[in-house]
Amino acid sequence: MKHSEYLIAKPSKGSAGQTGLWRSFRPVYHVERCIRCLLCCFYCPEDVIEVHYHRFILFHYEYCKGCGICASICPEDAIEMVEEEE
Amino acid sequence: MVAGGDVSMKIDELPRRSSLLPGNPSCQGCPHAIGLKALSVLENPVLIIPAGCTTIIAGIHPKAAFNVPVLHVPFASAAAVASGLAASYRKEGVEASIVVWMGDGAADIGFATLSGAAVRNEDIIVVVSDNEAYMNTGIQSSSTTSWKARTTTSPGGKSEEKKDLAAIMLMHRIPYAATASVGYLPDFINKLKRASEIDGFRFIHLHSPCPPGWRFDSSKTVEIARLAVKTGAWILWEYSGRFRITSPSKPYKDGSKRVPLEEYIKTQGRFKGLSEEDVEEIKSKIEEQWKFLLAFEEIFR
Ligand SMILES: Cc1ncc(C[n+]2csc(CCOP(=O)(O)OP(=O)(O)O)c2C)c(N)n1
Ligand code: SF4
Ligand code: SF4
Ligand code: SF4
Ligand SMILES: [Mg+2]
């Protein structure tokens, strides 16, 4: 690798490591209550909520910091924050 | 349709993938991380970032948290660097949206070059993501910190007035100025999009409640940003030839429709222990701000 190449930082997920380890509470999804308004995906600061097949949403727990914004913004209480064990 | 947002947009039509990648060092519930999602509406954005939390968020070499080009610059130079970059892009024929993403502290310290770039009507977008203090260095007051808010440099509550940065920028006679909020992302996205279709100096003042800095739980960032609007404490407006209060704030032109200010204040540790007189004083300051902006609406019709 050229020196100049090394000087340029490259876009990568996990620039601060596995930020999922920061979590004290984990968002748990209740598919039966979800109306697919997508507000949770839209406002998640970490951008770790994805929609699958236009049907249900999926959390990437590797980087989800457990901030709880998705749960507090959900109009249907379809996301519950559950305490992590250990 | 977007609850509490701009009703003219469907949420699944809005860009969602952020140019800020997951696993970055922002705190839980960080308002900058929410606001930065809106940049995906821009064509080929290039970010210029003076010192602040976003500098840290951008990542630790050799990893970068943004998947768009970022230029880290010293405080006072931000708008000047952007002006130079705009000139060189113009010369080289590069099509890009140059965005200065700065904090309120950077807007204080870099005000001379910010004002200069506005006067010269440089072809750049400036977003001030305002968390109402110098957060990255440990919550010092800035000129946009609210009156009576406690910070480490105002432990008894800030005694100076809050500066109306957006109105000051508007008075530079720039082609586009607006306020926005991380609680109403569709409104912010709309404004960025409109700004990107205009040439010249464009300014957006984004309200960004910060959990550790204002002392509230990380789950409440969006809720508190919305309360600021619903209580009338933060007013959303846009100027692009004509001045108007924009839709999330429109109902609150009528003071009787506003949520009581106490609902906003009690959510935040920085306002703990305010006296009743202080709260009344804040209410009258808010009333004054509404009068001022509604008069603007009359003048710039
Ligand atoms: C010339 C200079 N002075 C002081 C600092 C220290 N400093 C780094 S970030 C910061 C505060 C930035 O506050 P703001 O712009 O509001 O951004 P925030 O961290 O709140 O997002 C300060 C004072 C610096 N990096 N450079
Ligand atoms: S906010 Fe709630 S209802 Fe809306 S998509 Fe997310 S989980 Fe479903
Ligand atoms: S807890 Fe926070 S980071 Fe995790 S999915 Fe919800 S909003 Fe995103
Ligand atoms: S201190 Fe506030 S603005 Fe700074 S990274 Fe943390 S949450 Fe974001
Ligand atoms: Mg700040």
Side-chain angles (χ1 to χ4, degrees):
Chain A
M1 199 195 281
K2 280 192 289 182
H3 290 315
S4 57
E5 270 280 297
Y6 182 75
L7 288 175
I8 298 171
K10 302 286 187 312
S12 352
K13 288 185 181 178
S15 53
Q18 222 179 298
T19 51
L21 295 172
W22 297 9
R23 229 177 17 242
S24 320
F25 291 86
R26 158 188 294 254
V28 172
Y29 176 53
H30 298 284
V31 65
E32 70 286 357
R33 289 185 215 152
C34 175
I35 56 164
R36 289 151 196 97
C37 66
L38 308 188
L39 281 172
C40 55
C41 311
F42 196 57
Y43 281 96
C44 168
E46 282 303 306
D47 212 10
V48 292
I49 310 180
E50 256 188 286
V51 193
H52 270 238
Y53 311 116
H54 301 284
R55 280 188 52 81
F56 57 93
I57 59 165
L58 195 107
F59 297 83
H60 293 284
Y61 288 114
E62 194 180 357
Y63 299 122
C64 159
K65 291 172 184 165
C67 68
I69 286 177
C70 52
S72 87
I73 204 168
C74 175
E76 301 295 321
D77 284 330
I79 302 172
E80 187 187 351
M81 298 305 288
V82 176
E83 199 163 355
E84 293 277 3
E85 296 160 27
E86 260 319 270
Chain B
M1 295 291 164
V2 181
D6 191 322
V7 286
S8 66
M9 288 177 106
K10 274 215 180 99
I11 206 159
D12 51 1
E13 287 166 2
L14 295 170
R16 244 188 351 263
R17 287 274 79 88
S18 184
S19 43
L20 180 64
L21 299 169
N24 65 67
S26 62
C27 309
Q28 289 147 317
C30 175
H32 295 325
I34 298 175
L36 285 163
K37 297 182 90 171
L39 298 182
S40 49
V41 81
L42 300 174
E43 294 279 334
N44 197 16
V46 174
L47 297 185
I48 294 182
I49 305 178
C53 285
T54 315
T55 311
I56 310 301
I57 296 170
I60 306 152
H61 184 273
K63 292 185 173 175
F66 283 104
N67 59 15
V68 296
V70 173
L71 215 59
H72 291 286
V73 297
F75 266 133
S77 74
V81 172
S83 306
L85 195 64
S88 69
Y89 277 2
R90 201 159 45 239
K91 191 153 177 278
E92 300 291 328
V94 178
E95 294 280 342
S97 311
I98 298 172
V99 179
V100 180
W101 178 275
M102 68 205 298
D104 47 312
D108 278 354
I109 303 170
F111 188 72
T113 54
L114 183 63
S115 176
V119 166
R120 296 189 306 272
N121 196 23
E122 297 286 353
D123 193 21
I124 60 176
I125 297 175
V126 175
V127 179
V128 171
S129 183
D130 184 2
N131 50 20
E132 299 193 12
Y134 295 59
M135 292 309 174
N136 192 234
T137 37
I139 326 179
Q140 294 83 17
S141 283
S142 77
S143 52
T144 60
T145 303
S146 291
W147 183 72
K148 283 290 169 185
R150 289 175 201 274
T151 66
T152 49
T153 51
S154 59
K158 190 188 173 198
S159 49
E160 300 85 15
E161 287 293 328
K162 177 185 178 70
K163 175 168 103 182
D164 188 347
L165 181 61
I168 293 168
M169 294 316 292
L170 173 67
M171 286 297 104
H172 284 70
R173 305 293 191 207
I174 51 178
Y176 186 91
T179 59
S181 162
V182 297
Y184 296 90
L185 215 40
D187 175 74
F188 179 37
I189 288 173
N190 264 330
K191 286 170 176 167
L192 259 180
K193 198 164 182 336
R194 260 195 300 278
S196 71
E197 288 155 4
I198 293 172
D199 294 328
F201 192 93
R202 292 142 289 164
F203 183 83
I204 301 181
H205 192 178
L206 178 69
H207 196 228
S208 296
C210 158
W214 296 14
R215 286 182 277 143
F216 62 79
D217 186 80
S218 65
S219 63
K220 303 263 185 258
T221 308
V222 173
E223 195 178 313
I224 288 175
R226 287 183 180 177
L227 273 171
V229 171
K230 288 176 185 166
T231 53
W234 183 253
I235 306 167
L236 298 172
W237 56 261
E238 181 179 53
Y239 171 85
S240 56
R242 135 184 141 96
F243 186 100
R244 59 188 191 98
I245 305 289
T246 47
S247 46
S249 276
K250 255 189 211 157
Y252 311 113
K253 282 184 180 181
D254 175 355
S256 70
K257 297 263 164 38
R258 292 177 210 153
V259 171
L261 183 70
E262 289 80 354
E263 297 295 313
Y264 174 59
I265 283 178
K266 75 178 185 203
T267 57
Q268 302 159 48
R270 65 176 181 155
F271 287 126
K272 208 165 172 208
L274 279 195
S275 67
E276 255 171 57
E277 294 81 68
D278 289 343
V279 176
E280 288 311 311
E281 180 79 26
I282 298 174
K283 282 183 187 165
S284 70
K285 287 179 196 297
I286 290 172
E287 204 42 60
E288 208 171 287
Q289 180 69 1
W290 273 99
K291 268 195 208 141
F292 177 72
L293 293 181
L294 290 172
F296 260 39
E297 211 173 32
E298 283 300 310
I299 296 163
F300 294 117
R301 288 168 82 89

